[in-house]
Amino acid sequence: MDDHEASRKEAEFVHNVYEAIASHFSVTRYKPWPQVEKFLKSLPKGSVLGDIGCGNGKCLTVAQHCFCVGVDRSTNLTKICASRGFEAGVADNLRLPFRTGCLDHAISIAVIHHLATPQRRVRALQEILRVLRVGGMFFVCVWALEQDGRRFDQQDVLIPWQLQERYSAKAKQQKAGGVEKTKGQGKGKGRGKETEAKDLQSG
């Protein structure tokens, strides 16, 4: 797959979908994973932290002792992030709007697997390393091939986004104005379904 075709697939199966599901996606993502939280809390006070693929800003909620800036490809998710009081803007992971070496630390949580080819994933990592200062720390994680309760047959698959009906009212309320705090994430089947981003299940 050439770079042009990869970019087209990402636009169709990643960017457009996240714009459409941003409100519902946000209410199901309410706090960072434990290891991410541990890393963020370990950072020195006053560090300049970049959240590359910040989504709704859930990770930044535990890094308020740092100067945080988030970027994401989704306009709607960055609006939600900004509405929570964080610095956030729209940017492409392959062309970050930061000067070389300007970040003390960076995180990339469940982002890199959305890129369509191994080459573009490597470029995304290289771009984050470019904006990271020498000696800075970078925490990155992607989806795993092996997961509790399910096993994927191959690494590159399309994962359907299940619209959980119980979240639909919250999503509409959030979209109407103001971000609602969500205390729990439910599991179950919804009535609607949209195709989510192309995910790399990387072991």
Side-chain angles (χ1 to χ4, degrees):
M1 185 188 313
D2 63 24
D3 210 50
H4 177 77
E5 178 64 11
S7 180
R8 187 196 67 77
K9 285 184 177 293
E10 289 163 14
E12 179 180 359
F13 295 113
V14 184
H15 307 155
N16 293 344
V17 173
Y18 273 104
E19 293 292 24
I21 68 171
S23 293
H24 174 227
F25 179 84
S26 179
V27 297
T28 66
R29 303 303 194 270
Y30 57 95
K31 66 179 182 178
W33 296 328
Q35 290 303 314
V36 179
E37 182 173 359
K38 181 180 178 180
F39 172 78
L40 292 171
K41 288 183 174 179
S42 75
L43 299 178
K45 184 177 180 179
S47 298
V48 179
L49 170 70
D51 186 349
I52 314 303
C54 63
N56 65 358
K58 70 173 184 179
C59 292
L60 299 180
T61 60
V62 297
Q64 297 190 48
H65 60 291
C66 299
F67 177 78
C68 303
V69 58
V71 293
D72 199 283
R73 186 59 177 75
S74 168
T75 299
N76 289 333
L77 283 173
T78 54
K79 286 179 179 178
I80 294 170
C81 186
S83 74
R84 292 179 166 179
F86 299 114
E87 296 289 336
V90 178
D92 189 330
N93 198 155
L94 299 178
R95 291 178 293 277
L96 295 174
F98 305 129
R99 70 177 187 272
T100 299
C102 71
L103 300 180
D104 292 321
H105 310 292
I107 58 174
S108 173
I109 310 302
V111 175
I112 302 297
H113 55 257
H114 290 114
L115 295 163
T117 65
Q119 294 81 5
R120 289 170 70 83
R121 295 163 194 158
V122 170
R123 283 168 51 196
L125 292 170
Q126 290 173 333
E127 180 67 352
I128 296 172
L129 293 176
R130 178 188 68 79
V131 302
L132 194 63
R133 69 169 173 82
V134 175
M137 293 187 290
F138 173 30
F139 189 107
V140 58
C141 65
V142 297
W143 271 45
L145 179 63
E146 299 84 7
Q147 298 189 22
D148 292 339
R150 61 178 173 178
R151 176 80 161 91
F152 297 100
D153 294 328
Q154 60 185 22
Q155 286 189 316
D156 289 311
V157 296
L158 289 171
I159 307 297
W161 176 261
Q162 301 291 340
L163 180 60
Q164 298 171 13
E165 187 176 8
R166 67 167 118 180
Y167 286 129
S168 60
K170 291 181 180 180
K172 290 176 183 177
Q173 187 175 23
Q174 183 183 74
K175 189 174 183 180
V179 176
E180 182 174 317
K181 291 183 179 178
T182 305
K183 293 184 178 179
Q185 179 177 355
K187 294 182 179 180
K189 296 181 180 180
R191 293 184 178 178
K193 181 171 72 173
E194 280 197 70
T195 301
E196 195 197 37
K198 180 177 177 61
D199 283 334
L200 163 68
Q201 317 305 329
S202 178

